Amino acid sequence: MGRNKVSAVRIFVDLLAGRREASALAPRDWDGVIGVARSEAMLATLAHRLEGADLPPSVAALFADQRAAAAVAQQQALWEAEMARRALAPQGIEFVLLKGTAYAAAGMACAAGRQIGDLDILVLASDIRRAENALLNAGWEWVKSDPYDDFYYREHMHELPPLIHKSRDRMIDVHHAILPRTHRITPDALALVSDAVASADGFAVLNPADMACHCAAHMLADGDLQGGLRNLWDFHLMTRDFAATDPRFWEQLDRRARLHGLQDAVQRAARLSRDLYGAVVAAGWNGQEASDRWFRQRLFARDDWGRVTRPLLEQAFYIRSHWLRMPPMMLAQHLWTKWRKR
Amino acid sequence: MRHSKRIAVGPVQFRIGSDWPEPIAALEQLYAGYPQDEARPADATVCLFAARSWRRWVRASVHSGGDFVVPAALPLPLSMGLLAAEMGMNLQVALGWRRHMLLHASAVARDGRALIMSGESGSGKSTLAALLGEGEWRLMGDEFTLIDPVSGDALAFPRAVSLKNEAIAAVAAQVDAARLGPLMAGTPKGDIRHLIPRAAAIAAMHEPARPALLLFPRFGGAAAIEPMGEGEAFVRLTEASTNYVALGEAGFGALTRLVRETPAFGISYPDSATGIALVEQLWAETK
């Protein structure tokens, strides 16, 4: 690689941010951009972002395929949400859609082309057993058969062990909180559910500030930043659009972030979305933090073949995610159990 | 990656990167006659890599990844790098391609009409297609056949044919040795040797063909022909498609039309000569 060559992941981020014209790319640049976008599960997102741009014909054709496929996938994801509603509503169990399915149900900009994996829903902790039974009766079944994993989920996690529907082959994650029970931070799950709002097609989704809090928590407080570029793109678009319709949105976000103990995560997400995607954030959110550098490096750690580079940095973020998730003694026990079972 | 090669097969432009020169050199030999368009960006990426850097030299073992990675995929020794490349290309297409409905099926064409053969590994669909492709037919592909949801046409995916076990000798007896790749003995899929399709089949790889006959071959047992209803053909092909579900309504539409408009038969045959005779007989009857 030449000294002056810009890496594919940076070109990809520039294209999303609108800092670089698609027409300025050389044909060979697209190889890496497409490879990185696929690795980040964001090819259809890029296809939407560059709809109507001046593209090489084969790229335009590939992007059209991606947009069409994402539309089908989104319809299937919303159908899955409807199936959950039909299983839970007769029992009087209310649930809130989370993540990709919620963005699609609410018709948000970040839903355009966004990959949706499992169906994620949030129920009140007091409803979790009944929700489990209702889903089992409606054709979902357990994925994990390992007794330790099952015990671990039930004792320490913020969700049931994953369930899969036996005929549709789709997974559902039923949460009663948005971070593990053992996490250093305990967001107010009751407030999340009771302050939820209705989407256009009648599903409950988190209110705007809570949705941004959850997005930041999922990206920065729970995981090891895998899929970080996608989560950050979600955060950027949702905060941009929420702020455009509600001038007091950033204040609300600050208030809810304090309520949930997520100020650090939310503020970092805002700074990173500014640094990577050129987000315009409110006054008071515009600071600098030296440690952001590591997060930026982790988000950019892909080579032009879409492979994760910097394995030590990746490992460090993996360890960090576990460190946040559980107290040290428990972490030691957990890793020991997992290691013995390898 | 250190070594790389661009290959266009049917509508898919691949780029294949490798930590080692050998698999790339082997691909260059197999795909020398395929069209090259350096200005065309790649649709799909395949990476052949060593899981640990020292494994590049010591008991080199080739992992196959790329846009999509299957965690359970076993690494192969460097001597089977070509097989790793083939599996990688298949995987990326199976999981990533959305423009067409993908059928795990071989196909050959004559007079602009396609014969599509679907079956499990060992059914002989690849061998029959390879042998037919040496005769009056244009080989469209031994692994995937693409159905255009808009037109209903079949499109070719004529990668190098992957001959297995007994099929190697049967085909090798009929073709110029220069069209055969290296023999890879004792792979997890048995002995494997690749066959380069005839130049005319490669030159015509962008020409669509109208599906005219659907066959579900089964190798072994006495010669038999069994007509197959639309319903059974439909269900079998949903199982043979890697992206039927992902295509949603477009996939349902394409598959419904395919089984309604195309006569389907199951055939059993004890040897390749009988298989080919059955194919020719059914083809003559469907005209």
Side-chain angles (χ1 to χ4, degrees):
Chain A
M1 204 196 298
R3 215 156 26 100
N4 299 319
K5 185 153 169 9
V6 182
S7 71
V9 63
R10 287 186 185 268
I11 296 176
F12 168 68
V13 168
D14 284 351
L15 287 168
L16 287 176
R19 275 190 297 264
R20 192 182 286 264
E21 288 295 321
S23 57
L25 267 64
R28 272 300 70 78
D29 290 340
W30 285 106
D31 290 347
V33 169
I34 291 168
V36 165
R38 282 200 195 265
S39 304
E40 295 285 345
M42 291 182 78
L43 188 57
T45 298
L46 184 67
H48 271 279
R49 184 73 180 85
L50 298 182
E51 190 167 10
D54 182 10
L55 302 170
S58 71
V59 175
L62 182 69
F63 282 6
D65 300 343
Q66 292 292 318
R67 286 190 296 266
V72 172
Q74 210 157 91
Q75 194 181 22
Q76 289 172 338
L78 287 172
W79 179 247
E80 207 52 32
E82 176 59 26
M83 293 294 95
R85 172 152 68 185
R86 291 184 193 181
L88 299 174
Q91 310 296 319
I93 301 166
E94 293 187 4
F95 65 89
V96 180
L97 292 178
L98 299 175
K99 298 194 247 182
T101 315
Y103 308 154
M108 293 165 60
C110 61
R114 191 190 190 279
Q115 198 207 356
I116 305 176
D118 308 340
L119 172 63
D120 292 285
I121 65 170
L122 176 68
V123 302
L124 286 173
S126 52
D127 280 340
I128 194 95
R129 293 284 160 252
R130 291 199 304 131
E132 179 180 351
N133 280 332
L135 291 169
L136 288 171
N137 286 333
W140 277 269
E141 39 192 44
W142 300 118
V143 180
K144 300 223 177 195
S145 53
D146 183 291
Y148 175 73
D149 286 344
D150 191 70
F151 163 81
Y152 185 85
Y153 263 94
R154 288 173 186 281
E155 205 61 24
H156 303 306
M157 286 296 280
H158 52 307
E159 56 191 324
L160 291 175
L163 290 155
I164 192 161
H165 194 273
K166 60 185 168 199
S167 57
R168 289 190 311 278
D169 209 26
R170 304 273 306 206
M171 300 244 275
I172 186 169
D173 287 330
V174 184
H175 304 248
H176 52 77
I178 58 169
L179 288 176
R181 287 175 202 262
T182 49
H183 201 284
R184 280 139 215 255
I185 301 168
T186 312
D188 186 341
L190 187 62
L192 290 170
V193 175
S194 50
D195 297 338
V197 296
S199 75
D201 35 359
F203 287 106
V205 297
L206 296 175
N207 70 52
D210 281 352
M211 197 184 265
C213 284
H214 180 220
C215 183
H218 179 58
M219 170 170 48
L220 295 169
D222 194 18
D224 56 2
L225 257 76
Q226 276 195 45
L229 284 179
R230 187 184 66 187
N231 293 323
L232 191 63
W233 181 248
D234 292 339
F235 185 87
H236 163 46
L237 291 193
M238 74 173 69
T239 51
R240 181 197 69 185
D241 293 350
F242 290 150
T245 50
D246 176 4
R248 299 186 54 210
F249 170 72
W250 288 101
E251 274 170 59
Q252 298 273 17
L253 180 56
D254 187 50
R255 211 160 44 77
R256 291 303 274 198
R258 281 174 202 283
L259 169 72
H260 297 307
L262 289 166
Q263 309 96 298
D264 288 353
V266 168
Q267 284 173 12
R268 194 188 298 278
R271 292 193 305 269
L272 290 171
S273 68
R274 173 198 63 196
D275 296 347
L276 269 74
Y277 294 131
V280 180
V281 296
W285 292 76
N286 232 338
Q288 300 289 339
E289 171 83 52
S291 58
D292 285 354
R293 172 168 165 248
W294 301 107
F295 290 80
R296 287 192 297 267
Q297 289 186 1
R298 173 67 185 89
L299 291 167
F300 280 127
R302 273 197 196 277
D303 70 8
D304 291 2
W305 290 84
R307 298 178 303 170
V308 172
T309 53
R310 312 199 49 157
L312 284 178
L313 190 62
E314 187 190 21
Q315 189 72 15
F317 270 96
Y318 178 76
I319 292 168
R320 171 185 174 272
S321 75
H322 275 69
W323 180 255
L324 292 172
R325 276 175 161 209
M326 50 186 96
M329 267 316 286
M330 189 184 152
L331 177 59
Q333 275 176 10
H334 174 70
L335 293 178
W336 171 245
T337 310
K338 281 285 187 188
W339 181 78
R340 276 194 315 174
K341 285 151 62 81
R342 271 163 55 134
Chain B
M1 302 196 77
R2 281 181 173 70
H3 310 277
S4 68
K5 164 83 185 149
R6 310 176 69 75
I7 297 175
V9 182
V12 188
Q13 174 72 52
F14 293 95
R15 67 169 173 157
I16 297 152
S18 169
D19 281 341
W20 305 270
E22 293 89 343
I24 297 300
L27 287 170
E28 272 167 358
Q29 188 229 327
L30 282 183
Y31 289 93
Y34 282 64
Q36 284 290 330
D37 179 359
E38 282 303 315
R40 184 175 162 193
D43 299 300
T45 293
V46 176
C47 296
L48 306 176
F49 61 96
R52 308 232 181 278
S53 55
W54 54 272
R55 267 309 189 76
R56 209 176 291 155
W57 300 283
V58 185
R59 285 192 295 123
S61 93
V62 185
H63 285 258
S64 171
D67 299 329
F68 299 89
V69 180
V70 176
L74 285 176
L76 291 168
L78 186 54
S79 61
M80 298 175 193
L82 202 48
L83 177 61
E86 173 197 313
M87 289 164 69
M89 289 165 74
N90 288 346
L91 179 74
Q92 303 312 324
V93 170
L95 298 182
W97 194 250
R98 292 288 182 270
R99 193 169 308 157
H100 308 105
M101 183 172 64
L102 276 161
L103 296 178
H104 185 220
S106 67
V108 291
R110 202 195 264 180
D111 308 325
R113 300 162 77 233
L115 157 65
I116 298 168
M117 292 177 280
S118 172
E120 301 282 305
S121 186
S123 64
K125 66 178 191 306
S126 291
T127 314
L128 285 177
L131 291 170
L132 290 165
E134 295 305 310
E136 299 291 296
W137 301 76
R138 155 163 80 104
L139 177 77
M140 294 183 72
D142 75 317
E143 179 78 9
F144 290 125
T145 301
L146 283 51
I147 305 294
D148 183 346
V150 179
S151 67
D153 283 340
L155 290 161
F157 187 78
R159 56 161 212 180
V161 177
S162 186
L163 300 168
K164 294 186 190 76
N165 302 323
E166 296 80 15
I168 297 172
V171 175
Q174 298 197 19
V175 305
D176 182 353
R179 285 180 50 214
L180 293 169
L183 174 70
M184 290 177 282
T187 78
K189 299 183 168 196
D191 295 350
I192 288 186
R193 195 164 186 190
H194 289 93
L195 168 72
I196 303 169
R198 293 203 293 197
I202 296 166
M205 73 182 184
H206 295 302
E207 286 174 24
R210 199 73 198 157
L213 182 60
L214 271 172
L215 293 182
F216 296 85
R218 203 180 53 174
F219 180 72
I225 296 176
E226 235 183 289
M228 190 180 289
E230 291 171 11
E232 186 177 349
F234 181 91
V235 170
R236 284 191 185 221
L237 291 176
T238 59
E239 285 167 4
S241 174
T242 58
N243 63 1
Y244 170 73
V245 172
L247 289 176
E249 197 177 347
F252 178 78
L255 199 50
T256 311
R257 177 175 180 181
L258 180 65
V259 300
R260 288 214 171 121
E261 295 180 357
T262 319
F265 299 89
I267 59 170
S268 302
Y269 59 101
D271 53 66
S272 298
T274 312
I276 286 174
L278 292 177
V279 168
E280 295 284 2
Q281 178 196 334
L282 284 167
W283 185 257
E285 286 169 10
T286 56
K287 263 195 174 166

